[in-house]
Amino acid sequence: MSSQLSTLLSEQRRFPPTPEFAEGAHATQALYDEAVRDRLAFWAEQARTLTWIHPWQSVLEWTAPHARWFSGGQLNVAANCVDRHLSGARRNKAAIIWEGEPGDRRVYTYWELGQEVGRCASALKGLGVQKGDRVAIYLPMIPEAAIAMLACARIGAVHSVVFGGFSAEALRDRINDAECTVLITADGGYRRGSVLPLKRFADEALTDCPSIRHVVVVRRRPGGEGDEAFATMREGRDHWWHRLLEQAAPTCPAEPMDAEDMLFILYTSGTTGKPKGIVHTTGGYLTHVAATTKYVFDLKDEDVFWCTADIGWVTGHSYVVYGPLANGATVMMYEGAPDWPERDRFWKICARYGVTVLYTAPTAIRAFMKWGPEHPARHDLSQLRLLGSVGEPINPEAWIWYREHIGGNRCPIVDTWWQTETGGIMITPLPGVVTTKPGSATIPFPGISAKLVDVHGTVLEKGGGFLVLTEPWPGMLRTIYGDDARYRETYWSRFPGRYFAGDGAKVDDDGYWWILGRVDDVLNVAGHRIGTMEVESALVDHPAVAEAAVVGKAHDLKGQAIAAFVTLKDGHAATAEMRDDLKEHVAKKIGAIARPDDIFFSADLPKTRSGKIMRRLLRDIAEGRALGDTTTLADPGVVARLREMYEAEES
Ligand code: WT7
């Protein structure tokens, strides 16, 4: 990490836009100028590209930390993502091109998508779902996931998508927190050749979810109905998706929603053991994701846009479903793993469907690098014209590899910084306008105000510090579901009046942003956000564990890996079996993504006099450095220093 960081900070390469790209690009310098002149007018202009049922009265009402965007306006998100494309040439255009991991394929034109969304919306209404009710979605990456989300949006129900890799317990907690009344799941999903039995996990979760009245089950497995191993249907509660939709009307009126009505809740990890239900609303969110999709990805009608994120993360919400469909784009969707059955699966897909814009994560790019350039080289990737990166800092080496071996040294790269909380992209180059530097997310999107501050909140022109957002933006989270006090405390109290993102960053002499990573107790494991406290709570929940401390350790592919320090209760032995047992326990409580890589048994955990665990010391141990000795490192790491400053101020 330290050598990577010093490379990052001394990176001198520059990639100015080519005249050919700039000429045809949506983005122009004028867009930045306009937003500087009048930020709210800029956002209003973006909002006007959407179809509104009723115009708004004010662009922004801001009583910190609560924003209301486009107040008084009414619109429907599903009508914007589907219906408005049905009257013109897009009616028969592919909206979703999907490939399952086993190789099955489906294409939905906008017309067909509209029919399916309509049927699903009617079916949900038939089950008694009303405007404002919460619907949990626990599905693999299949078209039904997007259809279910849009169906909720159509009738004004609030969806809460739970990533299919989360455990039954994680699902249960999320359902209960939002008191969801309906759960939409599947008999299974394919991953690396085997079936993830989602309905079985769901049944386990539902033993303790009193609010759930109905479960809708997609039949993903061929001939799956009646296959008791994957889905036992409970009479009266459980319904097969295909049967319900068969009987449902394909037309269902789109509910007029206020701009500030809730669109979805998405749970994300924070610094406590309990995930936060991030609340996003209708008009501002759609404006933000539609505008960023258009300008950051330079999306045109002919494009095939593939954002490889799972629908269970915000990237899937904003850039698989809402952003691209609001733009009438063709979306590529793939169910499974990048190395199944071979390590060239992504490139096969790009070639087969003529993918033009690819948006993926550094952790995947680093894996492709490791697997070798021969895999992409076997396929025709000449249709690609733009590449994107998201989820974690991208090291310059991976950036350059991506550019060369995937982008043929021809495609601009957009490294996009944002968060579940921001709803849409915040810091990014606009292709055709901004010169890129490998490893830098460059500059804020027009209309976004980011500032660098020191530990006291003093604004810095450049150098290292903390990333804060100083003005509200349309896609911002509105609150934490059911816990507004936590919303104020988590995001707005550290630097009063400003949103604190939790990231350390550097701004260089050109005003470019280099995002360095989290300075709070949130880990980024393979682009997935995991709270150290969540893993600690899962560990101490095990009967043999007295105390646990979790830290992130640098990892070549995953960025960070989870290392846990565990003190066992008397009478329990620190054995290899215990180690496996504890790893399994965490996977069962949270999901496989949170399974610790290393578990260190220790008689005591190192603490300060005030009782705070000395995480810095634990990170040194986990990363194999001599205790407290940083002299062996070329650069002890900017993030580590920032984190120490942050932690010292906090305690
Ligand atoms: C955290 C947010 C938003 C998409 C997926 C992650 C890190 C995200 C970048 C980037 C450096 C990045 C930050 C951020 N992050 N994008 N381009 N460069 N770091 O969403 O789970 O809410 O995580 O991911 O640390 O705070 P998320």
Side-chain angles (χ1 to χ4, degrees):
M1 185 68 188
S2 64
S3 65
Q4 265 175 26
L5 257 175
S6 41
T7 342
L8 188 120
L9 298 176
S10 60
E11 177 59 54
Q12 292 301 327
R13 285 167 286 194
R14 304 279 182 278
F15 295 89
T18 62
E20 304 82 71
F21 196 99
E23 196 173 324
H26 280 310
T28 56
Q29 180 58 41
L31 213 58
Y32 288 100
D33 301 342
E34 242 175 78
V36 167
R37 254 196 322 273
D38 190 340
R39 192 173 59 90
L40 296 184
F42 166 80
W43 284 119
E45 192 187 316
Q46 302 311 316
R48 275 193 289 272
T49 67
L50 303 176
T51 302
W52 294 77
I53 299 165
H54 196 278
W56 60 84
Q57 269 124 43
S58 58
V59 177
L60 171 66
E61 291 165 11
W62 176 232
T63 319
H66 294 112
R68 294 178 58 79
W69 283 87
F70 309 113
S71 189
Q74 285 193 327
L75 73 168
N76 182 281
V77 167
N80 271 279
C81 290
V82 185
D83 304 29
R84 66 170 174 154
H85 306 310
L86 299 182
S87 50
R90 286 180 182 150
R91 181 184 186 274
N92 306 317
K93 174 183 173 174
I96 298 176
I97 300 176
W98 174 82
E99 191 172 286
E101 199 192 63
D104 42 344
R105 303 184 206 175
R106 275 190 263 161
V107 177
Y108 290 83
T109 64
Y110 270 96
W111 172 260
E112 290 172 311
L113 182 63
Q115 297 279 299
E116 289 302 293
V117 170
R119 285 183 200 281
C120 182
S122 303
L124 290 174
K125 269 195 164 169
L127 294 177
V129 177
Q130 293 179 2
K131 179 174 172 179
D133 288 352
R134 275 81 55 210
V135 173
I137 298 177
Y138 185 58
L139 285 172
M141 276 298 278
I142 54 178
E144 286 83 351
I147 292 166
M149 289 163 75
L150 290 163
C152 289
R154 188 162 195 91
I155 62 173
V158 176
H159 60 69
S160 165
V161 181
V162 179
F163 173 53
F166 277 127
S167 67
E169 288 191 38
L171 173 64
R172 181 198 62 200
D173 293 348
R174 285 160 177 75
I175 289 175
N176 288 340
D177 187 74
E179 297 173 291
C180 299
T181 57
V182 169
L183 168 66
I184 304 176
T185 186
D187 55 356
Y190 290 89
R191 187 82 190 172
R192 293 215 169 79
S194 50
V195 177
L196 202 65
L198 293 174
K199 174 63 162 68
R200 258 176 25 210
F201 298 152
D203 282 337
E204 203 181 318
L206 293 182
T207 54
D208 193 14
C209 292
S211 57
I212 292 286
R213 294 196 302 259
H214 295 283
V215 181
V216 180
V217 186
V218 177
R219 187 182 58 183
R220 168 74 187 102
R221 303 179 52 261
E225 198 176 341
D227 185 345
E228 298 269 309
F230 285 93
T232 339
M233 302 294 278
R234 188 199 282 186
E235 188 70 36
R237 183 194 72 176
D238 299 355
H239 318 268
W240 286 108
W241 166 288
H242 60 281
R243 300 245 189 111
L244 274 189
L245 264 64
E246 228 168 59
Q247 291 149 18
T251 48
C252 175
E255 190 71 32
M257 302 296 285
D258 286 338
E260 282 300 334
D261 277 339
M262 219 186 289
L263 176 62
F264 66 84
I265 304 170
L266 182 59
Y267 287 84
T268 189
S269 296
T271 52
T272 74
K274 191 175 177 282
K276 303 174 283 198
I278 302 300
V279 170
H280 283 290
T281 57
T282 301
Y285 172 80
L286 197 65
T287 298
H288 189 165
V289 299
T292 47
T293 305
K294 174 176 173 189
Y295 292 111
V296 176
F297 301 110
D298 191 44
L299 222 53
K300 310 277 168 55
D301 253 320
E302 314 77 68
D303 277 311
V304 177
F305 178 59
W306 186 17
C307 164
T308 66
D310 193 280
I311 223 113
W313 309 110
V314 74
T315 314
H317 285 59
S318 300
Y319 299 106
V320 175
V321 182
Y322 294 122
L325 296 180
N327 279 283
T330 296
V331 167
M332 176 74 219
M333 199 171 165
Y334 166 60
E335 178 186 33
D339 55 351
W340 192 268
E342 302 291 340
R343 288 171 163 182
D344 64 349
R345 185 63 183 269
F346 271 26
W347 320 122
K348 235 184 177 148
I349 291 173
C350 285
R352 175 179 292 157
Y353 302 99
V355 172
T356 56
V357 181
L358 176 70
Y359 188 35
T360 194
T363 188
I365 298 165
R366 289 191 296 266
F368 300 142
M369 271 174 87
K370 190 177 150 213
W371 297 341
E374 62 274 21
H375 300 291
R378 270 206 300 280
H379 299 276
D380 176 8
L381 301 181
S382 63
Q383 293 301 302
L384 284 172
R385 60 179 201 91
L386 178 66
L387 303 174
S389 171
V390 63
E392 14 156 9
I394 179 165
N395 43 310
E397 201 195 348
W399 196 101
I400 293 287
W401 190 93
Y402 194 28
R403 182 182 152 83
E404 183 179 337
H405 295 285
I406 308 303
N409 288 321
R410 155 190 92 244
C411 306
I413 295 182
V414 291
D415 172 7
T416 63
W417 176 86
W418 58 295
Q419 309 178 299
T420 305
E421 291 88 341
T422 69
I425 292 169
M426 302 293 280
I427 301 183
T428 178
L430 287 188
V433 181
V434 175
T435 294
T436 53
K437 305 181 187 183
S440 169
T442 75
I443 60 174
F445 187 81
I448 298 298
S449 319
K451 287 273 183 310
L452 187 75
V453 297
D454 70 9
V455 76
H456 308 296
T458 309
V459 173
L460 308 169
E461 280 304 306
K462 57 185 183 178
F466 307 102
L467 166 50
V468 297
L469 302 167
T470 53
E471 299 287 349
W473 64 99
M476 69 189 279
L477 78 166
R478 298 304 194 259
T479 187
I480 291 174
Y481 190 75
D483 198 348
D484 197 58
R486 191 175 175 197
Y487 166 69
R488 290 169 177 275
E489 165 64 26
T490 309
Y491 303 106
W492 301 91
S493 70
R494 186 63 185 80
F495 302 107
R498 288 170 288 188
Y499 172 90
F500 175 48
D503 281 306
K506 186 192 137 109
V507 174
D508 70 16
D509 292 338
D510 299 329
Y512 274 42
W513 288 84
W514 302 74
I515 311 296
L516 300 172
R518 305 287 305 198
V519 297
D520 53 8
D521 292 328
V522 169
L523 305 180
N524 190 326
V525 179
H528 295 147
R529 184 157 154 186
I530 296 164
T532 50
M533 280 278 287
E534 255 176 287
V535 183
E536 286 166 6
S537 327
L539 284 165
V540 296
D541 173 81
H542 189 283
V545 175
E547 212 178 4
V550 165
V551 295
K553 91 179 224 186
H555 188 280
D556 279 355
L557 291 182
K558 298 196 254 188
Q560 279 186 307
I562 300 176
F565 292 79
V566 170
T567 306
L568 294 174
K569 288 181 186 159
D570 283 346
H572 294 278
T575 59
E577 292 76 57
M578 177 63 81
R579 191 170 278 132
D580 292 344
D581 199 31
L582 293 181
K583 289 183 183 177
E584 205 38 52
H585 188 73
V586 174
K588 190 170 176 336
K589 298 287 292 184
I590 305 173
I593 50 168
R595 187 194 304 268
D597 280 56
D598 297 314
I599 291 189
F600 300 91
F601 292 112
S602 143
D604 266 312
L605 294 178
K607 290 191 187 143
T608 61
R609 261 177 299 173
S610 63
K612 214 172 143 55
I613 291 170
M614 296 162 78
R615 290 179 188 278
R616 157 79 193 280
L617 186 60
L618 296 181
R619 279 191 293 267
D620 283 341
I621 299 170
E623 291 179 354
R625 283 186 292 274
L627 291 196
D629 174 16
T630 52
T631 55
T632 51
L633 293 172
D635 178 344
V638 187
V639 176
R641 275 203 298 272
L642 280 171
R643 198 186 281 130
E644 274 158 40
M645 271 165 57
Y646 181 73
E647 285 174 358
E649 261 324 280
E650 281 279 276
S651 55

